[in-house]
Amino acid sequence: MTPLEARPFPYAYDLASTLLVIIDMQRDFIEPGGFGESLGNDVSRLSAIVPACQKVLKAWRDNGGQVLYTREAHREDLSDCPPAKRNRGNPSLRIGDVGPMGRILVAGHPGSDIVPALAPQGQEWVIDKPGKGMFYKTGLSERLQAAGVSHLIFMGVTTEVCVQTSMREANDRGYDCLLLEDCTESYFPEYKQAILDMVRAQGAIVGWTAHSESLLRQLSSGS
């Protein structure tokens, strides 16, 4: 196990049994004209983390690390999208409606794609999830167990919704989880800070947090 400088104390992991998890870095959440902006959010906050995520992703790949992407995306017939989810908040555009990037949060439409700067490569895992968490109705637990994965390093958006939900689900399943602080973001800065504090509270009750530079230094040293 390799110790990484983190909070509340060092995070020990082995590259061979660790996945870099990239949560919902999708055009609909990050780019102007997408679903996130239609809800009145400033998407520039989310797009600002893309360069830091790029650096981590490149270094991780260069070291032979495994990568998992998630996308919040529903079936064409919306059979996996409960009405309560689709209608909550009475948004001007709902899941499944046609927006500037095709049908909102529907698999196969441009808005559900990962932003080009972080696009998946080769055999990297990509899962579409109908809920906020990455384990709900995805079969991911079985895949992780079969692959011998024990540790998960998280990047992505938004910190307080899909990222923290996925981390809590993973923590309950026995995975050691680390969240890269500068590679996650919220439309609301106070929400992000609250989640960082909660994740690492009480001796890493949900997991660890660290700045990406800690991981990059370690990966570059080959330790």
Side-chain angles (χ1 to χ4, degrees), residues 14 32 48 75 154 181 213:
D14 178 64
R75 299 171 184 157
F154 284 85
E181 299 169 12
E213 284 300 324

Side-chain angles (χ1 to χ4, degrees), residues 6 8 12 35 63 74 113 132-133 147 156 168 178 200 213 219 221:
F35 186 47
N63 280 264
H74 295 276
D113 289 343
K132 306 305 183 187
R168 288 178 180 275
L178 171 77
R200 61 191 178 221
E213 284 300 324
L219 292 171
S221 70

Side-chain angles (χ1 to χ4, degrees), residues 11-219:
Y11 174 78
Y13 74 101
D14 178 64
L15 188 68
S17 58
T18 303
L19 274 178
L20 178 65
V21 182
I22 302 175
I23 299 287
D24 296 5
M25 293 294 286
Q26 296 164 249
R27 297 182 63 201
D28 251 332
F29 296 134
I30 293 170
E31 294 184 2
F35 186 47
E37 189 173 70
S38 79
L39 296 174
N41 298 308
D42 177 7
V43 296
S44 68
R45 293 192 54 82
L46 273 57
S47 62
I49 70 169
V50 170
C53 292
Q54 277 184 297
K55 290 180 181 179
V56 170
L57 179 58
K58 183 180 186 304
W60 192 260
R61 285 169 171 164
D62 288 348
N63 280 264
Q66 305 175 82
V67 182
L68 163 67
Y69 290 84
T70 73
R71 299 181 298 207
E72 186 172 351
H74 295 276
R75 299 171 184 157
E76 284 280 350
D77 63 2
L78 300 184
S79 60
D80 59 351
C81 182
K85 177 181 181 181
R86 187 166 187 261
N87 296 326
R88 188 168 300 145
N90 193 28
S92 59
L93 287 174
R94 291 176 168 81
I95 294 169
D97 289 350
V98 177
M101 302 179 198
R103 295 185 68 199
I104 292 171
L105 297 187
V106 172
H109 288 256
S112 71
D113 289 343
I114 304 299
V115 293
L118 300 172
Q121 294 181 0
Q123 300 302 309
E124 292 174 344
W125 297 9
V126 182
I127 63 167
D128 289 329
K129 57 184 182 63
K132 306 305 183 187
M134 67 186 192
F135 289 91
Y136 177 65
K137 291 189 175 181
T138 63
L140 182 59
S141 289
E142 294 76 13
R143 289 187 68 181
L144 293 178
Q145 291 170 10
V149 174
S150 58
H151 289 63
L152 303 169
I153 296 179
F154 284 85
M155 307 193 299
V157 298
T158 60
T159 313
E160 78 279 10
V161 184
C162 295
V163 174
Q164 83 141 331
T165 303
S166 295
M167 285 191 73
R168 288 178 180 275
E169 288 182 340
N171 181 68
D172 284 348
R173 288 163 173 79
Y175 295 96
D176 284 334
C177 302
L178 171 77
L179 177 57
L180 295 176
E181 299 169 12
D182 54 322
C183 293
T184 186
E185 194 50 85
S186 169
Y187 298 121
F188 311 98
E190 65 273 22
Y191 292 178
K192 173 182 174 178
Q193 187 57 53
I195 295 305
L196 293 177
D197 292 340
M198 284 191 282
V199 162
R200 61 191 178 221
Q202 301 182 68
I205 192 168
V206 174
W208 289 253
T209 73
H211 195 279
S212 66
E213 284 300 324
S214 297
L215 180 58
L216 292 171
R217 283 196 300 269
Q218 189 182 77
L219 292 171

